């Protein structure tokens, strides 16, 4: 017979083994849970990023900088190697000391900030000239309308009314020409030395243009100001006026937040997969912000655009940092700044990468992934690698719309232009887009977590493959549906602040621009007799073009000036 002591020892061994199995099972369950996206964590991150405290996260503001620190702290907590990558940015403008508007000898002066105000994109300088009224200040050749026709504005100060000839008609034929930027270009093209825009509101301070803001798209090339209705009466009675504009641009650093999770393979860790989302939004809206409620000064919360993508980025960083064994390739998580201003952060990153861009095997971008409805999911960039469609076969739990093109209005475009395969995840537009009403409680966190599960599967499949995805230059359509132009040229402009021409980031294959010899890196400085200083000038010139007609593009390629002949085609 076994002794009581032997029995107790055997039972102890059984319980020890059982305990080890139990602990192991608990550990496996905990590991599996750690590797699953959490709707609760997504809601926590979106709630903070889209809160009133961050005031809409407009690039260069305290709210955006607070958001960048929040993201950096999360990367630090996950023990990722992380950094704030700064890029130059004009956060706003303020009045200098040399602003003055006088009405001629013994006729007095108008007070800046009370009777008139320079617009944020005005060129600085002094002009002494006669004023001339030019109606709405619109030149639209395709509409057979020219407010400068029969008016000699050359060397004079043009005075234009806000709006269009058909009033506030939301379907106005002139809608593309309504913005004050376009009026400034029309004035400059007519030879005017300055432009005065008349306030809509009787109370000058409530006019939507009576806020000193800047859109980071370069200056107008001429002084541009807003004048009150009372000030207009005084100006119209003057034979000559003297205008001095002094706008000071406040340059501040803006940030990309970069977190690096090094791969485990001694060779493949030198290759990287970039996972990105932009964290900036529109702040309080206002002129030039992109707000679809332009008169509003409310906080534009940007829960879907793009706190949803940023929260997804953090959740993927949590998942992959917890995974054991680690992926073989290095993962680079990037929260981009300046996307709403024209892909500024991602454009800066691809020219200043933390790992060689040649070793970046793919980029996955998440922008507005929080409002899924009826399981509808859009995936862009599917044609940029031969392997994408096979990898996306597991997306059968969604109603997926696939788009071949690697270009689009988000940060993946910056990578595709550097010949990197991309995928872009997006759950569609909605009525709250670019409005204060894009708030955290409207996010579909459960389905966002499902999208992240799909992305983790794609990343793991990419990592398991010995070879990197095979880049493909997607054949562009001759008649893309983006934009409001009648013609297609095929250039991809850089949207950064510029006063010395329009930098070309890329050229679509087989497009009129490509056939003419225009290349990425060229700077367009003139089209025909139109000087090009920034993207607004370039866009205005495109709007004037006719299909089948040849235009001379003057470009700077390094220090060399080239004249290239481009013949746009019909959309």
């Amino acid at each position: 017979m076994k002794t009581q002591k032997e029995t107790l020892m055997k039972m102890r061994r059984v319980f020890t083994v059982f305990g080890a199995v139990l602990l192991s099972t608990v550990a496996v369950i905990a590991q599996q849970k750690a590797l699953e996206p959490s709707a609760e964590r997504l809601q926590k991150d979106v709630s903070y990023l889209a809160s009133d405290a961050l005031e809409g996260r407009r690039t260069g503001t305290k709210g955006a900088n607070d958001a960048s620190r929040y993201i950096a702290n999360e990367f630090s907590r996950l023990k990722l190697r992380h950094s704030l990558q700064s890029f130059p940015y004009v956060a706003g403008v303020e009045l200098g000391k040399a602003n003055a508007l006088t009405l001629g000898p013994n006729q007095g002066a108008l007070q800046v900030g009370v009777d008139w105000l320079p617009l944020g994109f005005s060129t600085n300088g002094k002009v002494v000239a006669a004023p001339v009224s030019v109606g709405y200040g619109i030149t639209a050749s395709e509409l057979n309308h020219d407010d400068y026709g029969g008016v000699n504005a050359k060397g004079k100060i043009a005075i234009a009314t806000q709006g269009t000839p058909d009033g506030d008609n939301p379907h106005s034929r002139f809608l593309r020409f309504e913005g004050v930027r376009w009026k400034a270009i029309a004035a400059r093209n007519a030879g005017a030395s300055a432009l005065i825009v008349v306030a809509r509101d009787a109370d000058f301070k409530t006019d939507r243009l009576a806020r000193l803001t800047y859109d980071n798209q370069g200056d107008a090339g001429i002084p541009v100001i807003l004048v009150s209705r009372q000030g207009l009466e005084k100006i119209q009675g003057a034979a000559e006026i003297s205008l001095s504009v002094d706008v000071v641009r406040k340059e501040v650093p803006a940030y990309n937040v970069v977190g690096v999770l090094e791969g485990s393979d001694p060779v493949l860790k030198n290759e990287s997969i970039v996972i990105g989302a932009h964290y900036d939004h529109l702040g309080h809206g206002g002129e030039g912000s992109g707000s679809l409620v332009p008169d509003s000064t409310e906080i534009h919360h940007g829960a879907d655009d793009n706190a949803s993508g940023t929260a997804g980025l953090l959740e993927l960083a949590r998942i992959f940092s917890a995974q054991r064994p680690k992926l073989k390739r290095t993962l680079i998580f990037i929260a981009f700044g300046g996307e709403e201003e024209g892909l500024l952060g991602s454009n800066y990153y691809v020219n200043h990468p933390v790992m060689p861009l040649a070793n970046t095997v793919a980029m996955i971008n998440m922008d507005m992934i929080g409002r899924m409805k009826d399981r509808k999911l859009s995936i862009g960039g599917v044609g940029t690698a031969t392997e994408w469609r096979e990898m996306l076969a597991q997306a059968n739990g969604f109603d997926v719309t696939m788009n071949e093109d690697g270009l689009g209005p988000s940060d993946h475009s910056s990578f595709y232009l550097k010949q990197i395969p991309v995928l872009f995840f997006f759950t569609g537009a909605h009525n709250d887009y670019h409005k204060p009403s894009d708030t955290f409680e409207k996010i579909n966190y459960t389905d966002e977590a499902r999208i992240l599960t799909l992305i983790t599967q794609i990343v793991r499949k990419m990592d398991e493959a010995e070879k990197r995805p095979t880049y493909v230059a997607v054949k562009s359509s001759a008649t893309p549906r983006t934009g409001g132009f009648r013609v297609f040229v095929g250039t991809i402009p850089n949207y950064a602040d510029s006063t010395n021409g329009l930098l070309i980031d890329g050229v679509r294959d087989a497009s009129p621009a490509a056939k003419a010899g225009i290349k990425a890196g060229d700077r367009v400085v003139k089209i025909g007799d139109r000087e090009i200083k920034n993207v607004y000038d370039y866009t205005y010139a495109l709007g004037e073009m006719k299909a089948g007609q040849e235009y001379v593009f003057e470009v700077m390629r390094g220090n060399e000036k080239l004249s290239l002949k481009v013949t746009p085609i019909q959309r």
Side-chain angles (χ1 to χ4, degrees), residues 42 77 95 99 113 148 170 175 185 199 216 222 228 260 287 301 315 326 425 437 441 465 475-476 487 495 516 526:
L42 288 170
R77 191 176 64 79
L95 292 177
N99 290 288
Y148 288 89
L175 208 55
I185 293 171
N216 272 271
I222 58 174
S228 69
V260 179
E287 185 73 17
H301 296 89
E315 191 64 3
K326 293 196 299 183
F425 291 83
S437 53
E441 73 277 3
K475 186 177 180 180
S476 61
V487 300
Y495 290 91
K526 201 170 186 180

Side-chain angles (χ1 to χ4, degrees), residues 468-546:
R468 58 197 290 172
T470 309
Y471 168 79
V472 177
V474 179
K475 186 177 180 180
S476 61
S477 167
T479 57
R481 292 185 290 175
T482 56
F485 301 115
R486 299 169 300 165
V487 300
F488 173 62
V489 171
T491 51
I492 300 153
N494 182 293
Y495 290 91
D497 194 352
S498 174
T499 57
N500 62 342
L502 188 279
L503 180 65
I504 299 298
D505 273 347
V507 178
R508 287 185 176 271
D509 292 342
S511 66
K515 293 175 182 178
I518 296 177
K519 299 180 179 180
D522 286 349
R523 188 175 292 274
V524 180
V525 295
K526 201 170 186 180
I527 298 177
D529 60 355
R530 303 295 198 210
E531 287 189 3
I532 306 298
K533 294 180 176 293
N534 52 50
V535 70
Y536 276 100
D537 291 340
Y538 187 71
T539 303
Y540 193 95
L542 292 183
E544 292 186 315
M545 290 183 181
K546 296 178 181 178

Side-chain angles (χ1 to χ4, degrees), residues 321-338:
S321 63
Q323 178 170 319
R324 295 293 181 273
K326 293 196 299 183
L327 297 190
K328 294 178 287 186
R329 291 178 169 89
T330 294
L331 296 184
I332 303 179
F333 301 93
I334 311 177
F336 297 107

